[in-house]
Amino acid sequence: MCCGGRCCVSMTQCFFDYSTSKVLVIRSKSVGTLNRFCQAVVLAYIIGYVCVLKKGYQDTDTVISSVTTKVKGIALTNTSDLGLRIWDVADYVIPPQEENSFFVLTNLNITPNQTQTRCAENPGPGSTCTSGRDCKRGFHDSRQNGVQTGRCIQFSVTEKTCEVLAWCPLEKGNDPPERNILPHVNSSYLSQCVFNRTTDPDCPIFRLGDIASEAGEDFQTMAVHGGVMGVQILWDCNLDMPESWCMPTYTFRRLDNKDPDNNVAPGYNIRFAKYYKNGGKESRNLVKGYGIRFEIMVFGKAGKFNIVPTLLNIGAGLALLGLVCRAFWILKLYD
Amino acid sequence: MCCGGRCCVSMTQCFFDYSTSKVLVIRSKSVGTLNRFCQAVVLAYIIGYVCVLKKGYQDTDTVISSVTTKVKGIALTNTSDLGLRIWDVADYVIPPQEENSFFVLTNLNITPNQTQTRCAENPGPGSTCTSGRDCKRGFHDSRQNGVQTGRCIQFSVTEKTCEVLAWCPLEKGNDPPERNILPHVNSSYLSQCVFNRTTDPDCPIFRLGDIASEAGEDFQTMAVHGGVMGVQILWDCNLDMPESWCMPTYTFRRLDNKDPDNNVAPGYNIRFAKYYKNGGKESRNLVKGYGIRFEIMVFGKAGKFNIVPTLLNIGAGLALLGLVCRAFWILKLYD
Amino acid sequence: MCCGGRCCVSMTQCFFDYSTSKVLVIRSKSVGTLNRFCQAVVLAYIIGYVCVLKKGYQDTDTVISSVTTKVKGIALTNTSDLGLRIWDVADYVIPPQEENSFFVLTNLNITPNQTQTRCAENPGPGSTCTSGRDCKRGFHDSRQNGVQTGRCIQFSVTEKTCEVLAWCPLEKGNDPPERNILPHVNSSYLSQCVFNRTTDPDCPIFRLGDIASEAGEDFQTMAVHGGVMGVQILWDCNLDMPESWCMPTYTFRRLDNKDPDNNVAPGYNIRFAKYYKNGGKESRNLVKGYGIRFEIMVFGKAGKFNIVPTLLNIGAGLALLGLVCRAFWILKLYD
């Protein structure tokens, strides 16, 4: 790049030398056209693709977010075990708050008035017995609900099972009841906008039923076994534009596996208990609550003009595609 | 790049050819000075900006973090509905733990001893009535607290409203009481450091009041309606330096919208209930709890020397700026 | 790059000019060998390191994730304060669900039947007294559990302390009991796979004890004081390959500081209370629960072929290393 061998003669003189390549100019319409075409492709790639489409002139950063949510609405159920019952936010949102997420109880298996005592284990391998010899004091299998006492007692008129120390009576059955609950939970008393993909895509107030339909799911069906629903908030901002153009877009998708063949535990449920004390004796109501867990996921990026990525992209593009063009011409010229 | 047309004569000979551009050396003080100046600018950009300021020689990665928090302190309140009452951590942190976040109850509307029964709806459009004909059995509007039974009963001496099946008595009013509570929650019994922007910027123990003041907010004012406070922990680490230099910095900002004109629901509150059972009858205390939600957000990046981005940045910089200098000289020489 | 000074004569003619550098071909085995060697190094760097190892031809994106967890199993404890007691999921997972995280209670200090009343403060500086003059009505120090009433009463037969208004009786002691609990919590009733580093590295079902051992910790020891365990799920996906190759890998590490010299609060614990009401009088059981908090951290990246980073890396590589080779030859030729 500098002066070379005679540099030693005079550093000062050499310092001010400027060397440039000798060039050969070829005057040919066909060669020239191809040359310009090649240069046009290079420019189109750099300007059109790298700069405009991929915004290669911007430095990008990801999103740091914090989301708060609020659920509104009541529901009425009428079941044999609970009777007529009103459900409000304090009843069906468990726990009362979470970060970036909330859980709405939509179905339940309740086991009321459990106390720590002894009762017959649910029948099954390891618990069905004919006499005390089949039961082992202190034995515990995690398929069972308690620790065996060593006695064999009547579970029903026809069946005998090992007695266990557990929260009794035990929770029964596995199938969530097919109920038609929460018809109103998706109504909102807000006088403001409600999200609608077509008419109101920027509104941050959602009807739960709309979230499910947007994801191609049926709310009533999903409510029976529960599920996990993702609320994806995408911020894709160009900070070279006015800040008010930087708006989130909302999409929804079901996150849990609903393929019944490939899934040991379909749906989503949690077990929790309410504890009571009556005259010093503790009891609890155990609830296996089925519900929809809404996970709010914020992602995206924001880009702003920055000289480093601009020069990086343009420089690398020119260098490479200059080489490509030159190589192409060398092949062409020697044809 | 290789030998060209005569390549076909002898591949072996051609393989060892080395081709270099013929160069023209110009001895001119003015041209040389400009040439060196241009090269100095290139070097300054690559070394000063890309390498030193932007650390273009480093490969960066983002932060994966896990945060645990602990809240300490007690508070004393004396109100007409609750009497003299002590609040400790188990009372005012709800739920007892969350990931990257905690909620401190600072104010509340309590509705004690609710049971599922019938009572007069709060007056409003759709609930004020003069006779049973104004009320529709089974009707439910989500602005209301329950499902109408079809009867019209006295709400107060002067007003009649529709009877509803609900958790009765209903929650009243909307304005949080102006209280002066939690004066001590921001005191810490830790004998160690307490965060202070000037004297102790690295200490991870914060007084809640200090967090609010750092964000330019008044804790007492914020406590009345609640709010969301972001605790931003920034790790900006240069792993080419000793590991002990990699320290987080803490900043605080209020995240909820406190502009009263542009906000339908100022502050932050949650509703939760404590359930009791007396002689088989379930009742609950409903709490509308106002409080400050602290969200801990960890972000940042760590960079370490890596040959790929180094060469990428230097290569692209040289290529582009070489071109710029050359273009500049071509224009200059033909002046 | 274009035609230069005579451009003004004829724009059209000039437009089709093609200029290329005049080159000098050197036929020398030693120079040729070095030239090819240098080019081989360049190619090896670009192809081997940038493309194959660093996958420089891919555009990468990070992971957006949502994790749900389920804990199974029961435990039996026999302690003096609680008697024989069964613990199931609803008892030992607090709160019943969290996002990306769950807490398993493994040890506890229970303070049953607390009510809001007056009792003697635990002895210590600021609470030990000889007469009412040592106690200040309304005084509150956050090392203490309540607000002083101004009276000095018997704490034990030998000690007198200031009376406080607090949740009484006060919580006592600080050392978690050394218990041998939860022996079965790590058993799983699932008939499917269980994670094993060697035989089953892709299974998402973990025994809690295995998680601890993988992190080099002993579950029983960790259970006494509690701790925080990170479950790191790494997705490192090459989307140019079949999608089924995109599998997470699991690693575990302890996140809390277990160095006893450098830690004011070893382990992990939370305080929570269960509230009861008997004949209108509220009481609570305060629990200082020690346990293991499992934090699930998902990270990683996915890469897919994209023309922009490919050209960027190849272009910059060629440009830089072309320069390096040329510089090397210039030095060589003038030797």
Side-chain angles (χ1 to χ4, degrees), chain A residues 24 26-27 36 103 116 140 167 268 275 284 293 295, chain C residues 15-18 20 22 74 86 88 91 97 99 113:
Chain A
L24 182 75
I26 297 157
R27 297 242 156 109
R36 293 299 166 199
F103 174 81
Q116 293 240 344
H140 164 249
W167 279 103
Y268 185 77
Y275 296 84
R284 68 172 194 183
R293 183 178 180 83
E295 297 252 351
Chain C
F15 186 78
F16 293 109
D17 282 2
Y18 174 70
T20 187
K22 289 187 185 171
I74 63 162
I86 283 287
D88 68 2
D91 293 322
Q97 64 172 352
E99 201 199 1
N113 291 321

PDB file of all heavy atoms in Angstrom, chain A residues 24 26-27 36 103 116 140 167 268 275 284 293 295, chain C residues 15-18 20 22 74 86 88 91 97 99 113:
ATOM      1  N   LEU A  24      -6.669  -0.738 -17.338  1.00  0.00           N
ATOM      2  CA  LEU A  24      -6.868  -0.990 -18.750  1.00  0.00           C
ATOM      3  C   LEU A  24      -8.339  -0.747 -19.028  1.00  0.00           C
ATOM      4  O   LEU A  24      -9.207  -1.308 -18.350  1.00  0.00           O
ATOM      5  CB  LEU A  24      -6.526  -2.471 -19.013  1.00  0.00           C
ATOM      6  CG  LEU A  24      -6.601  -3.015 -20.416  1.00  0.00           C
ATOM      7  CD1 LEU A  24      -5.403  -2.535 -21.231  1.00  0.00           C
ATOM      8  CD2 LEU A  24      -6.622  -4.544 -20.355  1.00  0.00           C
ATOM      9  N   ILE A  26     -11.517  -1.039 -21.456  1.00  0.00           N
ATOM     10  CA  ILE A  26     -12.016  -1.808 -22.591  1.00  0.00           C
ATOM     11  C   ILE A  26     -13.279  -1.147 -23.095  1.00  0.00           C
ATOM     12  O   ILE A  26     -14.233  -0.955 -22.332  1.00  0.00           O
ATOM     13  CB  ILE A  26     -12.297  -3.267 -22.167  1.00  0.00           C
ATOM     14  CG1 ILE A  26     -10.999  -3.933 -21.735  1.00  0.00           C
ATOM     15  CG2 ILE A  26     -12.938  -4.050 -23.306  1.00  0.00           C
ATOM     16  CD1 ILE A  26     -11.208  -5.107 -20.824  1.00  0.00           C
ATOM     17  N   ARG A  27     -13.281  -0.775 -24.411  1.00  0.00           N
ATOM     18  CA  ARG A  27     -14.466  -0.129 -24.986  1.00  0.00           C
ATOM     19  C   ARG A  27     -15.224  -1.163 -25.801  1.00  0.00           C
ATOM     20  O   ARG A  27     -14.860  -1.457 -26.939  1.00  0.00           O
ATOM     21  CB  ARG A  27     -14.051   1.037 -25.902  1.00  0.00           C
ATOM     22  CG  ARG A  27     -13.339   2.145 -25.182  1.00  0.00           C
ATOM     23  CD  ARG A  27     -14.124   3.453 -25.283  1.00  0.00           C
ATOM     24  NE  ARG A  27     -13.768   4.316 -24.171  1.00  0.00           N
ATOM     25  CZ  ARG A  27     -13.034   5.439 -24.289  1.00  0.00           C
ATOM     26  NH1 ARG A  27     -12.581   5.828 -25.458  1.00  0.00           N
ATOM     27  NH2 ARG A  27     -12.771   6.160 -23.236  1.00  0.00           N
ATOM     28  N   ARG A  36     -22.167  -3.176 -16.487  1.00  0.00           N
ATOM     29  CA  ARG A  36     -23.162  -2.336 -15.815  1.00  0.00           C
ATOM     30  C   ARG A  36     -24.269  -3.190 -15.195  1.00  0.00           C
ATOM     31  O   ARG A  36     -24.777  -2.895 -14.108  1.00  0.00           O
ATOM     32  CB  ARG A  36     -23.780  -1.333 -16.798  1.00  0.00           C
ATOM     33  CG  ARG A  36     -22.832  -0.283 -17.297  1.00  0.00           C
ATOM     34  CD  ARG A  36     -22.284   0.578 -16.164  1.00  0.00           C
ATOM     35  NE  ARG A  36     -21.135   1.345 -16.640  1.00  0.00           N
ATOM     36  CZ  ARG A  36     -20.240   1.895 -15.850  1.00  0.00           C
ATOM     37  NH1 ARG A  36     -20.325   1.760 -14.546  1.00  0.00           N
ATOM     38  NH2 ARG A  36     -19.231   2.568 -16.358  1.00  0.00           N
ATOM     39  N   PHE A 103     -54.042 -17.393  35.492  1.00  0.00           N
ATOM     40  CA  PHE A 103     -54.711 -18.672  35.363  1.00  0.00           C
ATOM     41  C   PHE A 103     -56.184 -18.473  35.674  1.00  0.00           C
ATOM     42  O   PHE A 103     -56.522 -17.901  36.702  1.00  0.00           O
ATOM     43  CB  PHE A 103     -54.091 -19.668  36.351  1.00  0.00           C
ATOM     44  CG  PHE A 103     -54.791 -20.984  36.411  1.00  0.00           C
ATOM     45  CD1 PHE A 103     -54.539 -21.949  35.459  1.00  0.00           C
ATOM     46  CD2 PHE A 103     -55.712 -21.260  37.409  1.00  0.00           C
ATOM     47  CE1 PHE A 103     -55.193 -23.179  35.507  1.00  0.00           C
ATOM     48  CE2 PHE A 103     -56.363 -22.486  37.464  1.00  0.00           C
ATOM     49  CZ  PHE A 103     -56.103 -23.445  36.501  1.00  0.00           C
ATOM     50  N   GLN A 116     -56.853 -35.251  58.008  1.00  0.00           N
ATOM     51  CA  GLN A 116     -55.776 -36.223  58.060  1.00  0.00           C
ATOM     52  C   GLN A 116     -56.233 -37.395  58.910  1.00  0.00           C
ATOM     53  O   GLN A 116     -56.258 -37.317  60.138  1.00  0.00           O
ATOM     54  CB  GLN A 116     -54.524 -35.574  58.652  1.00  0.00           C
ATOM     55  CG  GLN A 116     -53.945 -34.507  57.753  1.00  0.00           C
ATOM     56  CD  GLN A 116     -52.528 -34.811  57.339  1.00  0.00           C
ATOM     57  OE1 GLN A 116     -51.856 -35.651  57.933  1.00  0.00           O
ATOM     58  NE2 GLN A 116     -52.059 -34.145  56.295  1.00  0.00           N
ATOM     59  N   HIS A 140     -45.320 -47.246  50.983  1.00  0.00           N
ATOM     60  CA  HIS A 140     -45.859 -46.137  50.209  1.00  0.00           C
ATOM     61  C   HIS A 140     -45.390 -46.234  48.774  1.00  0.00           C
ATOM     62  O   HIS A 140     -44.197 -46.316  48.488  1.00  0.00           O
ATOM     63  CB  HIS A 140     -45.399 -44.805  50.794  1.00  0.00           C
ATOM     64  CG  HIS A 140     -45.603 -43.687  49.824  1.00  0.00           C
ATOM     65  ND1 HIS A 140     -44.572 -43.040  49.223  1.00  0.00           N
ATOM     66  CD2 HIS A 140     -46.746 -43.181  49.330  1.00  0.00           C
ATOM     67  CE1 HIS A 140     -45.061 -42.150  48.403  1.00  0.00           C
ATOM     68  NE2 HIS A 140     -46.361 -42.211  48.439  1.00  0.00           N
ATOM     69  N   TRP A 167     -55.042 -37.656  53.550  1.00  0.00           N
ATOM     70  CA  TRP A 167     -56.109 -36.661  53.605  1.00  0.00           C
ATOM     71  C   TRP A 167     -57.362 -37.385  53.120  1.00  0.00           C
ATOM     72  O   TRP A 167     -57.472 -37.685  51.926  1.00  0.00           O
ATOM     73  CB  TRP A 167     -55.810 -35.482  52.681  1.00  0.00           C
ATOM     74  CG  TRP A 167     -54.859 -34.446  53.215  1.00  0.00           C
ATOM     75  CD1 TRP A 167     -53.560 -34.306  52.879  1.00  0.00           C
ATOM     76  CD2 TRP A 167     -55.157 -33.371  54.120  1.00  0.00           C
ATOM     77  NE1 TRP A 167     -53.014 -33.227  53.537  1.00  0.00           N
ATOM     78  CE2 TRP A 167     -53.974 -32.636  54.308  1.00  0.00           C
ATOM     79  CE3 TRP A 167     -56.304 -32.971  54.820  1.00  0.00           C
ATOM     80  CZ2 TRP A 167     -53.900 -31.513  55.139  1.00  0.00           C
ATOM     81  CZ3 TRP A 167     -56.223 -31.841  55.650  1.00  0.00           C
ATOM     82  CH2 TRP A 167     -55.029 -31.137  55.810  1.00  0.00           C
ATOM     83  N   TYR A 268     -54.577 -28.770  31.163  1.00  0.00           N
ATOM     84  CA  TYR A 268     -53.771 -28.138  32.195  1.00  0.00           C
ATOM     85  C   TYR A 268     -54.587 -28.065  33.463  1.00  0.00           C
ATOM     86  O   TYR A 268     -55.721 -27.601  33.444  1.00  0.00           O
ATOM     87  CB  TYR A 268     -53.359 -26.732  31.745  1.00  0.00           C
ATOM     88  CG  TYR A 268     -52.432 -26.042  32.705  1.00  0.00           C
ATOM     89  CD1 TYR A 268     -51.096 -26.389  32.751  1.00  0.00           C
ATOM     90  CD2 TYR A 268     -52.901 -25.073  33.582  1.00  0.00           C
ATOM     91  CE1 TYR A 268     -50.231 -25.775  33.648  1.00  0.00           C
ATOM     92  CE2 TYR A 268     -52.043 -24.453  34.475  1.00  0.00           C
ATOM     93  CZ  TYR A 268     -50.717 -24.811  34.500  1.00  0.00           C
ATOM     94  OH  TYR A 268     -49.862 -24.214  35.381  1.00  0.00           O
ATOM     95  N   TYR A 275     -57.804 -24.429  53.470  1.00  0.00           N
ATOM     96  CA  TYR A 275     -57.709 -25.053  54.781  1.00  0.00           C
ATOM     97  C   TYR A 275     -58.654 -24.384  55.765  1.00  0.00           C
ATOM     98  O   TYR A 275     -58.765 -23.155  55.772  1.00  0.00           O
ATOM     99  CB  TYR A 275     -56.268 -24.955  55.292  1.00  0.00           C
ATOM    100  CG  TYR A 275     -55.304 -25.728  54.419  1.00  0.00           C
ATOM    101  CD1 TYR A 275     -54.775 -25.156  53.279  1.00  0.00           C
ATOM    102  CD2 TYR A 275     -54.966 -27.034  54.731  1.00  0.00           C
ATOM    103  CE1 TYR A 275     -53.912 -25.859  52.455  1.00  0.00           C
ATOM    104  CE2 TYR A 275     -54.105 -27.749  53.914  1.00  0.00           C
ATOM    105  CZ  TYR A 275     -53.580 -27.156  52.783  1.00  0.00           C
ATOM    106  OH  TYR A 275     -52.733 -27.866  51.973  1.00  0.00           O
ATOM    107  N   ARG A 284     -59.673 -29.586  55.073  1.00  0.00           N
ATOM    108  CA  ARG A 284     -59.430 -28.788  53.881  1.00  0.00           C
ATOM    109  C   ARG A 284     -60.374 -29.215  52.776  1.00  0.00           C
ATOM    110  O   ARG A 284     -60.912 -30.322  52.796  1.00  0.00           O
ATOM    111  CB  ARG A 284     -57.972 -28.925  53.404  1.00  0.00           C
ATOM    112  CG  ARG A 284     -57.643 -30.295  52.873  1.00  0.00           C
ATOM    113  CD  ARG A 284     -56.251 -30.334  52.232  1.00  0.00           C
ATOM    114  NE  ARG A 284     -56.116 -31.561  51.444  1.00  0.00           N
ATOM    115  CZ  ARG A 284     -55.016 -31.922  50.805  1.00  0.00           C
ATOM    116  NH1 ARG A 284     -53.933 -31.167  50.856  1.00  0.00           N
ATOM    117  NH2 ARG A 284     -54.987 -33.032  50.091  1.00  0.00           N
ATOM    118  N   ARG A 293     -54.417 -21.338  31.336  1.00  0.00           N
ATOM    119  CA  ARG A 293     -53.317 -20.505  31.759  1.00  0.00           C
ATOM    120  C   ARG A 293     -52.946 -19.615  30.584  1.00  0.00           C
ATOM    121  O   ARG A 293     -52.658 -20.111  29.505  1.00  0.00           O
ATOM    122  CB  ARG A 293     -52.139 -21.405  32.110  1.00  0.00           C
ATOM    123  CG  ARG A 293     -50.960 -20.681  32.624  1.00  0.00           C
ATOM    124  CD  ARG A 293     -49.842 -21.632  33.007  1.00  0.00           C
ATOM    125  NE  ARG A 293     -48.765 -20.811  33.485  1.00  0.00           N
ATOM    126  CZ  ARG A 293     -48.707 -20.355  34.727  1.00  0.00           C
ATOM    127  NH1 ARG A 293     -49.610 -20.709  35.594  1.00  0.00           N
ATOM    128  NH2 ARG A 293     -47.734 -19.549  35.069  1.00  0.00           N
ATOM    129  N   GLU A 295     -50.342 -17.160  29.051  1.00  0.00           N
ATOM    130  CA  GLU A 295     -48.946 -16.738  29.188  1.00  0.00           C
ATOM    131  C   GLU A 295     -48.728 -15.580  28.236  1.00  0.00           C
ATOM    132  O   GLU A 295     -48.948 -15.714  27.029  1.00  0.00           O
ATOM    133  CB  GLU A 295     -47.999 -17.861  28.764  1.00  0.00           C
ATOM    134  CG  GLU A 295     -48.082 -19.085  29.597  1.00  0.00           C
ATOM    135  CD  GLU A 295     -46.866 -19.246  30.487  1.00  0.00           C
ATOM    136  OE1 GLU A 295     -45.893 -18.474  30.307  1.00  0.00           O
ATOM    137  OE2 GLU A 295     -46.896 -20.134  31.342  1.00  0.00           O
TER     138      GLU A 295
ATOM    139  N   PHE C  15     -20.242   5.028 -20.565  1.00  0.00           N
ATOM    140  CA  PHE C  15     -21.093   4.160 -19.783  1.00  0.00           C
ATOM    141  C   PHE C  15     -20.786   2.686 -20.038  1.00  0.00           C
ATOM    142  O   PHE C  15     -20.935   1.854 -19.148  1.00  0.00           O
ATOM    143  CB  PHE C  15     -22.561   4.453 -20.106  1.00  0.00           C
ATOM    144  CG  PHE C  15     -23.522   3.699 -19.247  1.00  0.00           C
ATOM    145  CD1 PHE C  15     -23.785   4.106 -17.951  1.00  0.00           C
ATOM    146  CD2 PHE C  15     -24.161   2.554 -19.711  1.00  0.00           C
ATOM    147  CE1 PHE C  15     -24.649   3.408 -17.158  1.00  0.00           C
ATOM    148  CE2 PHE C  15     -25.031   1.849 -18.912  1.00  0.00           C
ATOM    149  CZ  PHE C  15     -25.288   2.285 -17.631  1.00  0.00           C
ATOM    150  N   PHE C  16     -20.340   2.408 -21.277  1.00  0.00           N
ATOM    151  CA  PHE C  16     -20.074   1.007 -21.603  1.00  0.00           C
ATOM    152  C   PHE C  16     -18.605   0.610 -21.464  1.00  0.00           C
ATOM    153  O   PHE C  16     -18.226  -0.495 -21.807  1.00  0.00           O
ATOM    154  CB  PHE C  16     -20.591   0.677 -23.017  1.00  0.00           C
ATOM    155  CG  PHE C  16     -22.085   0.738 -23.092  1.00  0.00           C
ATOM    156  CD1 PHE C  16     -22.723   1.757 -23.774  1.00  0.00           C
ATOM    157  CD2 PHE C  16     -22.862  -0.209 -22.424  1.00  0.00           C
ATOM    158  CE1 PHE C  16     -24.097   1.819 -23.811  1.00  0.00           C
ATOM    159  CE2 PHE C  16     -24.238  -0.140 -22.481  1.00  0.00           C
ATOM    160  CZ  PHE C  16     -24.873   0.890 -23.176  1.00  0.00           C
ATOM    161  N   ASP C  17     -17.757   1.553 -21.023  1.00  0.00           N
ATOM    162  CA  ASP C  17     -16.353   1.210 -20.767  1.00  0.00           C
ATOM    163  C   ASP C  17     -16.248   0.211 -19.627  1.00  0.00           C
ATOM    164  O   ASP C  17     -17.021   0.231 -18.685  1.00  0.00           O
ATOM    165  CB  ASP C  17     -15.559   2.469 -20.324  1.00  0.00           C
ATOM    166  CG  ASP C  17     -15.219   3.328 -21.516  1.00  0.00           C
ATOM    167  OD1 ASP C  17     -15.626   2.970 -22.644  1.00  0.00           O
ATOM    168  OD2 ASP C  17     -14.564   4.361 -21.310  1.00  0.00           O
ATOM    169  N   TYR C  18     -15.262  -0.663 -19.712  1.00  0.00           N
ATOM    170  CA  TYR C  18     -14.990  -1.551 -18.596  1.00  0.00           C
ATOM    171  C   TYR C  18     -13.520  -1.451 -18.270  1.00  0.00           C
ATOM    172  O   TYR C  18     -12.668  -1.643 -19.139  1.00  0.00           O
ATOM    173  CB  TYR C  18     -15.368  -2.989 -18.952  1.00  0.00           C
ATOM    174  CG  TYR C  18     -14.952  -3.948 -17.872  1.00  0.00           C
ATOM    175  CD1 TYR C  18     -15.601  -3.945 -16.635  1.00  0.00           C
ATOM    176  CD2 TYR C  18     -13.890  -4.817 -18.063  1.00  0.00           C
ATOM    177  CE1 TYR C  18     -15.202  -4.788 -15.634  1.00  0.00           C
ATOM    178  CE2 TYR C  18     -13.490  -5.676 -17.051  1.00  0.00           C
ATOM    179  CZ  TYR C  18     -14.147  -5.642 -15.843  1.00  0.00           C
ATOM    180  OH  TYR C  18     -13.749  -6.479 -14.834  1.00  0.00           O
ATOM    181  N   THR C  20     -10.151  -2.558 -16.006  1.00  0.00           N
ATOM    182  CA  THR C  20      -9.636  -3.613 -15.136  1.00  0.00           C
ATOM    183  C   THR C  20      -8.171  -3.303 -14.857  1.00  0.00           C
ATOM    184  O   THR C  20      -7.503  -2.631 -15.662  1.00  0.00           O
ATOM    185  CB  THR C  20      -9.831  -4.995 -15.788  1.00  0.00           C
ATOM    186  OG1 THR C  20      -9.473  -5.988 -14.855  1.00  0.00           O
ATOM    187  CG2 THR C  20      -9.005  -5.172 -17.038  1.00  0.00           C
ATOM    188  N   LYS C  22      -4.154  -3.586 -14.677  1.00  0.00           N
ATOM    189  CA  LYS C  22      -3.084  -4.301 -15.380  1.00  0.00           C
ATOM    190  C   LYS C  22      -2.372  -5.161 -14.353  1.00  0.00           C
ATOM    191  O   LYS C  22      -2.101  -4.714 -13.246  1.00  0.00           O
ATOM    192  CB  LYS C  22      -2.080  -3.315 -15.974  1.00  0.00           C
ATOM    193  CG  LYS C  22      -2.634  -2.550 -17.155  1.00  0.00           C
ATOM    194  CD  LYS C  22      -1.571  -1.715 -17.811  1.00  0.00           C
ATOM    195  CE  LYS C  22      -2.151  -0.863 -18.908  1.00  0.00           C
ATOM    196  NZ  LYS C  22      -1.178   0.112 -19.419  1.00  0.00           N
ATOM    197  N   ILE C  74     -46.002 -37.984  47.465  1.00  0.00           N
ATOM    198  CA  ILE C  74     -46.412 -37.600  48.812  1.00  0.00           C
ATOM    199  C   ILE C  74     -45.278 -37.863  49.782  1.00  0.00           C
ATOM    200  O   ILE C  74     -44.310 -38.545  49.456  1.00  0.00           O
ATOM    201  CB  ILE C  74     -47.679 -38.341  49.297  1.00  0.00           C
ATOM    202  CG1 ILE C  74     -47.408 -39.842  49.373  1.00  0.00           C
ATOM    203  CG2 ILE C  74     -48.868 -38.027  48.436  1.00  0.00           C
ATOM    204  CD1 ILE C  74     -48.422 -40.566  50.217  1.00  0.00           C
ATOM    205  N   ILE C  86     -49.378 -36.385  56.660  1.00  0.00           N
ATOM    206  CA  ILE C  86     -49.161 -36.661  55.242  1.00  0.00           C
ATOM    207  C   ILE C  86     -49.054 -35.320  54.503  1.00  0.00           C
ATOM    208  O   ILE C  86     -49.802 -34.394  54.804  1.00  0.00           O
ATOM    209  CB  ILE C  86     -50.380 -37.440  54.692  1.00  0.00           C
ATOM    210  CG1 ILE C  86     -50.321 -38.893  55.103  1.00  0.00           C
ATOM    211  CG2 ILE C  86     -50.501 -37.322  53.193  1.00  0.00           C
ATOM    212  CD1 ILE C  86     -49.294 -39.685  54.373  1.00  0.00           C
ATOM    213  N   ASP C  88     -49.164 -33.779  50.682  1.00  0.00           N
ATOM    214  CA  ASP C  88     -49.322 -34.017  49.253  1.00  0.00           C
ATOM    215  C   ASP C  88     -49.068 -32.723  48.477  1.00  0.00           C
ATOM    216  O   ASP C  88     -48.712 -31.699  49.059  1.00  0.00           O
ATOM    217  CB  ASP C  88     -50.664 -34.667  48.921  1.00  0.00           C
ATOM    218  CG  ASP C  88     -51.833 -33.748  49.156  1.00  0.00           C
ATOM    219  OD1 ASP C  88     -51.598 -32.594  49.534  1.00  0.00           O
ATOM    220  OD2 ASP C  88     -52.971 -34.185  48.970  1.00  0.00           O
ATOM    221  N   ASP C  91     -50.235 -29.478  49.603  1.00  0.00           N
ATOM    222  CA  ASP C  91     -49.629 -29.007  50.853  1.00  0.00           C
ATOM    223  C   ASP C  91     -48.237 -28.424  50.649  1.00  0.00           C
ATOM    224  O   ASP C  91     -47.861 -27.466  51.317  1.00  0.00           O
ATOM    225  CB  ASP C  91     -49.491 -30.167  51.854  1.00  0.00           C
ATOM    226  CG  ASP C  91     -50.819 -30.708  52.346  1.00  0.00           C
ATOM    227  OD1 ASP C  91     -51.734 -29.894  52.544  1.00  0.00           O
ATOM    228  OD2 ASP C  91     -50.927 -31.924  52.520  1.00  0.00           O
ATOM    229  N   GLN C  97     -49.142 -22.606  41.668  1.00  0.00           N
ATOM    230  CA  GLN C  97     -48.493 -22.570  40.362  1.00  0.00           C
ATOM    231  C   GLN C  97     -47.757 -21.255  40.194  1.00  0.00           C
ATOM    232  O   GLN C  97     -48.118 -20.228  40.712  1.00  0.00           O
ATOM    233  CB  GLN C  97     -49.489 -22.757  39.224  1.00  0.00           C
ATOM    234  CG  GLN C  97     -50.487 -21.640  39.150  1.00  0.00           C
ATOM    235  CD  GLN C  97     -51.347 -21.735  37.918  1.00  0.00           C
ATOM    236  OE1 GLN C  97     -51.121 -22.543  37.041  1.00  0.00           O
ATOM    237  NE2 GLN C  97     -52.337 -20.875  37.853  1.00  0.00           N
ATOM    238  N   GLU C  99     -45.063 -19.277  37.018  1.00  0.00           N
ATOM    239  CA  GLU C  99     -44.563 -19.373  35.658  1.00  0.00           C
ATOM    240  C   GLU C  99     -43.075 -19.701  35.717  1.00  0.00           C
ATOM    241  O   GLU C  99     -42.324 -19.034  36.419  1.00  0.00           O
ATOM    242  CB  GLU C  99     -44.768 -18.028  34.957  1.00  0.00           C
ATOM    243  CG  GLU C  99     -44.755 -18.149  33.463  1.00  0.00           C
ATOM    244  CD  GLU C  99     -44.500 -16.816  32.814  1.00  0.00           C
ATOM    245  OE1 GLU C  99     -44.313 -15.801  33.528  1.00  0.00           O
ATOM    246  OE2 GLU C  99     -44.459 -16.772  31.578  1.00  0.00           O
ATOM    247  N   ASN C 113     -51.772 -21.182  65.659  1.00  0.00           N
ATOM    248  CA  ASN C 113     -52.777 -20.433  66.434  1.00  0.00           C
ATOM    249  C   ASN C 113     -52.336 -19.041  66.870  1.00  0.00           C
ATOM    250  O   ASN C 113     -52.560 -18.636  68.001  1.00  0.00           O
ATOM    251  CB  ASN C 113     -53.199 -21.246  67.654  1.00  0.00           C
ATOM    252  CG  ASN C 113     -53.998 -22.460  67.233  1.00  0.00           C
ATOM    253  OD1 ASN C 113     -54.803 -22.369  66.307  1.00  0.00           O
ATOM    254  ND2 ASN C 113     -53.744 -23.580  67.873  1.00  0.00           N
TER     255      ASN C 113
END
